[in-house]
Amino acid sequence: GYSFISISRLCELLQFEMKSTSMRMSSASFLEKLRLQDLYTYNILDSGTDKEFESLVDLTKSLLHCPIAAISFVDKHRQYFKAIRGVEISETPREISFCNHTIKHDKVLVIEDATKDHRFNNNPLVYDPPGIRFYAGAPLVTPENHVVGTLCVIDQVPRGLSQVQREAMTALSRQVVAQLELRRQLGFELVGDAVMRPTFASKEVELARTQITVNAVCPGYTDTDIVAHAIDTIASSGRSGRRGLVMAT
């Protein structure tokens, strides 16, 4: 048989749904505000190039055999590339950014063929240069549990990502966050309205940065090892039976 609902009951249900939708939107807006506040504490946007971030991008590009790799930070209306290889670009609008989807996840996001994904098949980054087909992005999760950006790779041909490669991207994304934390905690001090100034001797900061990068590439090695041997020679030295990684240059 048929079931009927009164007009007044229907209005109540519609009002409840509208209220629930409004609350969800308010919650998402609040969380986005917190995410942006966390991002801005690093003073990383428009900060120029840093060899530590570029080295991690080079390593990611080499390990995943992709022509394009980048570290990006998702601002309110744009995506800023702190380090990028394979294409000359400094930022893109957030609304067309693949990484804008990655920051909604806590794991690696993989798009094997963007032309077959409804989220991207009309995206100008797919049908115009750089002609994205494959995309993989690892979220950059801060200690405050906010995703401020991504470590990502791109290819112009469809492909997949193995579990080992996903784990490598996750590990490298943690090293990017470690560099961010080092930048904030060791090298800079908050002054006034988010103005940053160096507080540690550059030699001390450089030593700490070097060790973080070394740990990302060859766990167990020290900066002294790096001085004595370039990373590519360490990779073949076989000390303690470990298998090293060669950093791209």
Side-chain angles (χ1 to χ4, degrees):
Y2 295 97
S3 60
F4 296 93
I5 184 170
S6 67
I7 297 297
S8 60
R9 178 56 178 162
L10 180 60
C11 289
E12 290 177 1
L13 292 173
L14 289 173
Q15 288 175 354
F16 176 80
E17 179 61 25
M18 290 174 64
K19 184 177 180 181
S20 299
T21 301
S22 177
M23 291 177 64
R24 287 195 297 269
M25 292 177 64
S26 297
S27 177
S29 177
F30 178 69
L31 292 175
E32 173 64 3
K33 183 177 181 179
L34 292 178
R35 189 193 71 82
L36 288 172
Q37 288 177 347
D38 198 9
L39 169 62
Y40 297 154
T41 64
Y42 291 105
N43 197 41
I44 197 71
L45 299 175
D46 302 311
S47 57
T49 60
D50 280 300
K51 64 181 181 180
E52 293 80 12
F53 292 103
E54 290 181 336
S55 294
L56 288 169
V57 167
D58 287 335
L59 180 58
T60 303
K61 181 175 180 287
S62 177
L63 287 176
L64 276 73
H65 308 291
C66 285
I68 301 172
I71 292 171
S72 75
F73 295 97
V74 181
D75 198 1
K76 187 175 183 179
H77 299 296
R78 61 169 178 157
Q79 168 183 241
Y80 166 69
F81 295 106
K82 174 62 178 174
I84 189 167
R85 291 287 191 264
V87 64
E88 295 292 332
I89 190 171
S90 61
E91 63 180 62
T92 63
R94 179 173 175 176
E95 62 185 12
I96 63 171
S97 167
F98 279 59
C99 296
N100 188 44
H101 293 265
T102 303
I103 66 171
K104 300 173 184 177
H105 302 268
D106 59 0
K107 296 180 181 180
V108 175
L109 174 66
V110 178
I111 309 298
E112 295 187 353
D113 187 348
T115 65
K116 297 180 179 179
D117 191 307
H118 72 276
R119 294 170 295 180
F120 307 106
N121 54 15
N122 290 319
N123 191 302
L125 297 176
V126 175
Y127 287 102
D128 294 327
I132 298 174
R133 293 298 180 270
F134 167 79
Y135 167 91
L140 302 179
V141 186
T142 70
E144 290 75 23
N145 204 35
H146 297 128
V147 182
V148 295
T150 75
L151 172 68
C152 64
V153 290
I154 292 169
D155 205 338
Q156 286 98 354
V157 295
R159 54 176 291 188
L161 204 66
S162 71
Q163 183 60 35
V164 171
Q165 290 173 319
R166 289 172 187 260
E167 292 171 359
M169 286 196 73
T170 299
L172 288 166
S173 72
R174 288 195 290 264
Q175 291 301 321
V176 174
V177 175
Q179 289 288 350
L180 284 173
E181 285 297 304
L182 183 65
R183 176 188 176 90
R184 180 167 66 179
Q185 297 175 8
L186 294 184
F188 296 84
E189 179 182 68
L190 187 63
V191 180
D193 296 326
V195 178
M196 310 294 281
R197 63 181 175 85
T199 58
F200 280 73
S202 59
K203 184 176 180 180
E204 294 173 332
V205 174
E206 184 64 27
L207 181 62
R209 284 176 170 169
T210 298
Q211 191 55 55
I212 282 183
T213 302
V214 172
N215 287 339
V217 179
C218 300
Y221 288 97
T222 67
D223 57 296
T224 303
D225 295 321
I226 293 300
V227 172
H229 310 282
I231 291 181
D232 57 344
T233 59
I234 288 179
S236 60
S237 66
R239 192 182 71 171
S240 299
R242 289 193 184 92
R243 183 179 179 182
L245 298 175
V246 179
M247 179 172 292
T249 57

